[in-house]
């Protein structure tokens, strides 16, 4: 097999239906819900970047242009499902109950940012693709305990080159695990393009080799994403095994705030990609359906501005952790043989704070 | 000879240009090292000058970068592989430990593995999680690989050239906190500095301060402050942390009778512990005080808001050195 049959999409670049829509998409509420979260996610993103630029947050990976992937996951997942994220899924994290101030804390270099979210969800994974193993492990645990939940694991196109991903896919295929891999193909892994990353025509082909239903979906088409993610989750929960979804999108921003994409990426490519971005696309669709209006847009924008501003205030006003917080949560019970280090630390603290 | 002020990261770049220009067998590989010139700019302009055949952007796969570098090294090339951050070197460990370190030994000299692994490491630049650890001891524990850590632009240039010349695998760890902190006049004269050798940076008679990598900076600052208190500190940069030039360290400590070891890495099972053990084996009779260490703590490197609490500052070093000097 040289390629997959087709890239699944329902909305064209202008938000016109280009295929008969799935039944559920005739109800506007789920799509409106997605749209609102996408707008909030984008405003949050802008604010995080502004905070980084003014020295109030650390290096931050933008999700600009990829909101439909995150938000479809947030919308389609049940609260009890398990999310195993990489670092670019702010939308899903917010929808699953992480506070915006917590995301800011994490990227602002404060451990408390990893404390939020549902108890079963994994923290953001920074080392590329290492989370894939956790996802299949969690899926196996659900399977053995006969729990009707599913695991969602996200990763980037660069991550698909790592053994960790291929090994996890392989196991998911062997054990028919309740896991959905969502591969965010945003075309670039820092400066390395999709073509330099893999010689196959579709990254989803890697799932075929593992015996897993695998598809390419237009990741900027919220309807297509919602539909396929929902279907894959149902398959997982009902014992049908794993799915690999290659969500085709584009990273409209720099890789992170520490990156300058203009060094390696042609401008006109970015300009072209803006024409396919997910928020404008869904908005046009919703407007045409009469489900959204300029007035609603303005109201919602204002609401989001307030919510983001309140979260930023909360973040900035949080008192620092005490210096010895680095010793907290290292072990369930503090090994008393390490007391000497606490003592050294206390002396350092006293000296530096002049106590 | 054109002498210019260079930062450490520029010195690394200069050494790579020099080595690639002088020897066609030298190739570079890694993530984002080509068009982008590396995320820290250490490989800037290399691909422009030497082409995509010799300066290779790889897929995102550290095991593969190391494994293929071993294959290249055993087949006539001199690969210099970049691991983008040392926090992501672990997938390469299997290849480095089980193969690179022992290819010569296993084949009774029939094969060799002249590769260099470059990786920025250490804290202090406000990087995200997993980007700031100092895990040199994990590598130093493996027989058959050299672990080299420069602490200034000039030593980065000279040591990297020697690492590339070396017929065995060298892990070359670049303290990224020092990448841009200091400039030194540097000529691109190809002058090598020896591996397996400590560098005495400052002579002194009251105490020997031993360090490597980024903490050499704070250690030198501490030595200045100790001088103000009339304590004369000798400062030694270990530079090759495996194998260690214990001879130089012994000679110094035998003279001063007192020793403080400073490192950024966590405390237990570290290179400082090994140096202390070797010194007590060899110069115990000369010691006038127990050997002390100023180190990181046995905790994960905290996220960056708290990293200053993990990193020792010059005052912490002064404080410990004074207690060693005043020990009765
Ligand atoms: C194992 C590992 N190697 C290298 C890095 C440094 N790094 C961080 S993000 C990144 C690119 C990831 O690209 P991709 O998987 O496509 O995801 P994207 O960031 O584009 O969403 C790299 C190389 C890392 N975090 N982990």
């Amino acid at each position: 097999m040289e390629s997959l049959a087709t890239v699944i999409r329902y909305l064209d670049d202008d938000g016109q239906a280009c295929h008969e829509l799935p039944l559920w998409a005739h109800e506007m509420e789920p799509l409106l819900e997605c749209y609102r979260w996408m707008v909030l996610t984008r405003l949050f993103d802008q604010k995080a970047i502004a905070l980084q630029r003014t020295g109030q947050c650390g290096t931050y990976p933008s999700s600009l242009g990829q909101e439909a992937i995150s938000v479809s996951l947030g919308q389609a997942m049940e609260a009890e499902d398990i999310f195993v994220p990489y670092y670019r899924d702010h939308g899903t994290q917010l929808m699953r109950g992480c506070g915006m101030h917590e995301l800011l804390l994490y990227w602002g270099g404060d451990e408390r940012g990893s404390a939020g979210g549902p108890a079963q969800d994994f923290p953001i994974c920074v080392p590329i693709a290492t989370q894939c193993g956790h996802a299949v492990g969690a899926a196996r645990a659900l399977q053995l305990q006969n729990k009707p939940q599913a695991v969602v694991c996200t990763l980037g196109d660069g991550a698909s080159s790592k053994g960790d991903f291929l090994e996890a896919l392989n196991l998911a295929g062997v054990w028919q695990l309740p896991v959905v891999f969502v591969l965010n193909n945003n075309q670039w892994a820092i400066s390395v393009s999709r073509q330099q990353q893999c010689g196959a025509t579709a990254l989803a082909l890697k799932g075929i080799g593992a015996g897993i239903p695998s598809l390419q979906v237009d990741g900027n088409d919220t309807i297509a994403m919602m539909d396929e993610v929902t279907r894959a989750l149902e398959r997982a929960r009902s014992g049908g095994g794993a799915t690999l979804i290659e969500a085709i999108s584009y990273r409209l921003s720099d890789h992170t705030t520490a990156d300058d994409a203009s060094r390696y990426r042609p401008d006109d490519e970015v300009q072209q990609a803006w024409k396919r971005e997910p928020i404008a696309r869904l908005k046009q669709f919703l407007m045409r359906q009469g489900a959204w209006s300029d007035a609603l847009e303005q109201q919602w924008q204002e609401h989001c501005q307030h919510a983001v501003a309140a979260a930023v205030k909360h973040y900035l006003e949080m008192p620092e952790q005490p210096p010895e917080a680095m010793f907290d949560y290292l072990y369930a019970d503090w090994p008393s043989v390490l007391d000497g280090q606490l003592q050294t630390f206390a002396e350092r603290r006293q000296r530096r704070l002049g106590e | 000879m054109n002498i210019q002020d260079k930062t450490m990261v520029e010195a690394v770049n200069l050494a790579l240009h020099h080595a690639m220009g002088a020897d066609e067998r030298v190739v570079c590989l890694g993530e984002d090292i080509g068009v982008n010139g590396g995320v820290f700019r250490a490989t800037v302009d290399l691909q422009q000058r030497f082409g995509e055949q010799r300066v290779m952007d790889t897929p995102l796969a550290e095991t593969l970068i190391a494994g293929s570098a071993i294959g290249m090294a055993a087949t006539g090339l001199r690969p210099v592989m970049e691991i983008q951050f040392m926090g992501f070197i672990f997938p390469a460990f299997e290849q480095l430990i089980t193969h690179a370190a022992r290819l010569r030994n296993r084949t009774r000299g029939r094969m060799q593995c002249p590769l260099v692994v470059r990786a920025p490491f250490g804290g202090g630049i406000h990087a995200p999680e997993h980007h700031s650890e100092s895990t040199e001891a994990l590598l130093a524990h493996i027989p058959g690989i050299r672990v080299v850590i420069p602490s200034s632009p000039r030593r980065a240039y000279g040591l990297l050239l020697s690492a590339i010349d070396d017929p065995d695998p060298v892990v070359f760890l670049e303290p990224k906190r020092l990448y841009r902190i200091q400039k030194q006049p540097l000529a691109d004269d190809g002058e090598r500095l020896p591996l397996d050798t400590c560098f005495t940076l400052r002579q002194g008679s009251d105490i020997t301060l031993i360090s490597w990598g980024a903490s050499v900076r704070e250690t030198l600052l501490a030595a200045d402050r100790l001088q103000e208190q009339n304590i004369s500190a000798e400062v030694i940069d270990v530079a090759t942390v495996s194998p260690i030039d214990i001879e130089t360290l012994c000679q110094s400590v035998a003279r001063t009778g007192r020793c403080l070891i400073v490192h950024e890495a966590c405390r237990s099972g570290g290179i400082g512990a090994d140096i202390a053990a070797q010194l007590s084996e060899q110069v115990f009779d000369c010691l006038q005080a127990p050997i002390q260490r100023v180190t990181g703590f046995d905790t994960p490197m905290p996220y960056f808001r708290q990293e200053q609490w993990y990193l020792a500052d010059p005052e912490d070093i002064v404080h410990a050195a004074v207690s060693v000097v005043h020990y009765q």
Side-chain angles (χ1 to χ4, degrees):
Chain A
M1 190 188 303
E2 288 275 290
S3 67
L4 297 167
T6 173
V7 177
I8 298 163
R9 69 187 325 213
Y10 291 96
L11 295 180
D12 69 12
D13 293 352
D14 301 322
Q16 299 260 24
C18 54
H19 282 289
E20 190 161 338
L21 297 184
L23 268 186
W24 65 264
H26 294 279
E27 303 277 336
M28 287 301 109
E29 196 41 49
L31 287 172
L32 282 169
E33 185 84 347
C34 286
Y35 180 76
R36 293 192 206 100
W37 279 107
M38 277 157 69
V39 170
L40 179 66
T41 304
R42 188 167 289 185
L43 278 177
F44 169 78
D45 206 70
Q46 283 167 0
K47 192 65 199 179
I49 291 170
L51 288 171
Q52 191 280 335
R53 299 274 185 250
T54 51
Q56 298 170 94
C57 182
T59 304
Y60 171 81
S62 167
S63 61
L64 182 65
Q66 303 162 62
E67 296 89 349
I69 301 173
S70 279
V71 163
S72 308
L73 291 176
Q75 184 75 355
M77 288 175 77
E78 300 288 345
E80 313 78 59
D81 290 333
I82 301 179
F83 187 42
V84 186
Y86 85 129
Y87 48 76
R88 215 184 281 285
D89 291 311
H90 319 300
T92 324
Q93 283 191 294
L94 293 175
M95 289 175 80
R96 291 183 65 72
C98 281
M100 280 185 272
H101 71 284
E102 285 172 319
L103 296 192
L104 291 172
L105 274 175
Y106 179 83
W107 294 109
D110 186 317
E111 280 79 4
R112 289 171 296 181
S114 297
Q120 77 277 17
D121 283 8
F122 283 65
I124 291 173
C125 189
V126 172
I128 301 295
T130 45
Q131 75 277 18
C132 299
H134 314 158
V136 290
R140 181 62 162 175
L142 293 175
Q143 191 183 49
L144 291 180
Q145 296 168 89
N146 287 318
K147 292 189 174 160
Q149 292 144 249
V151 178
V152 171
C153 176
T154 58
L155 63 146
D157 41 295
S160 72
S161 295
K162 287 215 60 161
D164 305 62
F165 170 61
L166 298 164
E167 291 169 34
L169 269 186
N170 188 56
L171 192 68
V174 174
W175 286 345
Q176 296 274 302
L177 293 174
V179 56
V180 181
F181 291 100
V182 179
L183 195 169
N184 174 342
N185 176 0
N186 63 17
Q187 312 300 329
W188 290 90
I190 310 189
S191 71
V192 178
S193 69
R194 155 68 185 82
Q195 282 66 33
Q196 291 170 284
Q197 199 68 242
C198 173
T201 51
L203 298 176
L205 287 168
K206 297 190 182 196
I208 309 276
I212 290 175
S214 303
L215 31 135
Q216 282 188 303
V217 177
D218 183 334
N220 291 358
D221 174 349
T222 313
I223 297 182
M225 277 305 296
M226 273 282 286
D227 198 53
E228 292 305 337
V229 169
T230 306
R231 204 191 314 275
L233 282 168
E234 277 162 12
R235 175 158 50 233
R237 292 193 200 102
S238 61
T243 307
L244 169 61
I245 294 175
E246 177 187 350
I248 299 177
S249 185
Y250 195 87
R251 193 190 82 211
L252 290 170
S253 65
D254 294 327
H255 170 72
T256 64
T257 48
D259 174 52
D260 173 9
S262 69
R263 213 168 354 228
Y264 52 78
R265 191 167 73 170
D267 264 355
D268 56 332
E269 183 185 296
V270 184
Q271 292 316 316
Q272 287 306 314
W274 267 107
K275 298 184 182 150
R276 300 189 299 273
E277 69 97 357
I279 296 190
R281 206 196 269 193
L282 185 58
K283 181 176 171 188
Q284 282 173 315
F285 173 78
L286 293 171
M287 295 276 241
R288 256 188 227 109
Q289 303 292 313
W292 197 248
S293 65
D294 287 334
L296 286 170
E297 175 75 19
Q298 196 182 338
Q299 267 177 27
W300 185 248
Q301 288 277 351
E302 277 166 22
H303 168 82
C304 293
Q305 300 279 9
H306 285 296
V308 172
V312 169
K313 185 165 184 293
H314 184 177
Y315 161 69
L316 293 175
E317 285 177 354
M318 270 181 82
E320 290 286 322
Q321 298 184 92
E324 55 276 15
M326 77 168 90
F327 292 95
D328 293 346
Y329 304 106
L330 191 55
Y331 302 99
D333 297 311
W334 175 255
S336 57
V337 288
L338 290 182
D339 280 350
Q341 298 213 8
L342 273 181
Q343 183 57 36
T344 308
F345 186 84
E347 285 161 20
R348 173 178 292 185
R349 183 198 148 115
Q350 236 172 22
R351 205 167 44 248
R352 287 197 193 172
L353 297 179
E355 286 169 355
Chain B
M1 182 64 60
N2 181 10
I3 298 182
Q4 285 184 345
D5 279 349
K6 297 275 182 201
T7 61
M8 180 183 284
V9 72
E10 290 166 347
V12 167
N13 184 253
L14 197 63
L16 291 172
H17 273 278
H18 187 97
M20 292 195 78
D23 184 347
E24 286 214 324
R25 296 172 304 169
V26 179
V27 297
C28 290
L29 66 158
E31 295 157 10
D32 302 292
I33 67 163
V35 181
N36 202 31
V39 294
F40 286 103
R41 307 264 149 292
T43 55
V44 113
D45 292 338
L46 279 177
Q47 191 177 64
Q48 240 173 342
R49 178 161 161 210
F50 298 106
E52 290 176 19
Q53 307 266 337
R54 288 183 66 202
V55 182
M56 298 168 260
D57 269 329
T58 65
L60 206 171
E62 286 80 9
T63 310
L64 174 83
I65 295 172
S68 63
I70 292 170
M72 290 175 197
T75 314
L77 297 182
R78 299 236 154 197
V80 180
M81 54 176 268
E82 177 175 295
I83 294 290
Q84 201 157 76
F85 281 90
M86 197 194 185
F88 311 131
I89 203 172
F90 304 107
F93 263 36
E94 171 164 25
Q95 292 293 338
L96 296 177
I97 294 173
T98 60
H99 296 297
R102 45 199 291 173
L103 197 60
R104 180 187 300 284
N105 184 269
R106 281 171 69 208
T107 61
R108 304 285 86 193
R110 178 168 57 80
M111 293 181 105
Q112 58 173 354
C113 193
L115 65 79
V116 175
V117 184
R118 293 185 35 250
F121 82 122
I125 65 157
H126 275 204
E129 196 180 5
H130 298 298
H131 286 70
S132 300
E133 290 72 9
S134 300
T135 45
E136 66 270 23
L138 297 179
L139 286 152
H141 192 64
I142 308 305
I145 30 189
R146 283 196 165 69
V147 182
V148 177
I149 305 180
S151 66
S152 71
R154 212 167 315 150
R155 276 187 297 286
Y157 178 82
L159 290 171
L160 182 52
L161 285 177
S162 296
I164 296 171
D165 290 343
D166 196 89
D168 289 311
V170 179
V171 178
F172 191 81
L173 300 177
E174 300 164 6
K176 58 185 180 290
R177 179 147 61 93
L178 301 187
Y179 263 162
R180 298 193 163 83
I181 213 166
Q182 167 202 18
K183 285 194 171 199
Q184 265 183 347
L186 199 66
D188 187 16
D189 53 9
E191 195 183 318
R192 271 69 171 163
L193 288 174
L195 306 181
D196 307 346
T197 305
C198 297
F199 297 90
T200 303
L201 304 183
R202 177 184 174 121
Q203 315 257 332
S205 52
D206 296 332
I207 182 170
T208 303
L209 305 179
I210 297 173
S211 191
W212 55 90
S215 353
V216 167
R217 183 181 157 76
E218 285 82 29
T219 305
L220 284 168
L221 290 170
D224 286 342
R225 295 192 197 169
L226 287 166
Q227 194 60 59
E228 291 161 15
Q229 302 181 32
N230 283 326
I231 295 174
S232 154
E234 182 138 313
V235 177
I236 302 184
D237 173 6
V238 178
T240 302
V241 298
S242 176
I244 290 174
D245 167 20
I246 198 71
E247 203 40 51
T248 301
L249 301 179
C250 283
Q251 278 168 15
S252 171
V253 174
R255 238 178 342 91
T256 61
R258 298 174 197 266
C259 174
L260 179 73
I261 303 164
V262 182
H263 65 67
E264 186 173 306
C266 64
R267 188 172 186 82
S268 300
I271 292 165
D274 185 72
I275 292 175
Q278 294 202 55
L279 288 172
S280 21
E281 283 164 2
Q282 300 193 31
V283 292
F284 182 75
D285 290 346
C286 311
L287 285 174
Q288 295 167 49
I291 299 168
Q292 296 287 325
R293 287 173 289 162
V294 173
T295 67
F297 299 100
D298 291 349
T299 70
M301 179 61 137
Y303 297 3
F304 64 78
R305 287 256 194 112
Q306 288 207 321
E307 68 183 335
Q308 83 277 15
W309 286 109
Y310 185 92
L311 299 170
D313 68 13
E315 269 319 305
D316 298 326
I317 301 169
V318 167
H319 181 80
V322 167
S323 79
V324 174
V325 170
H326 293 275
Y327 180 85
Q328 296 292 339

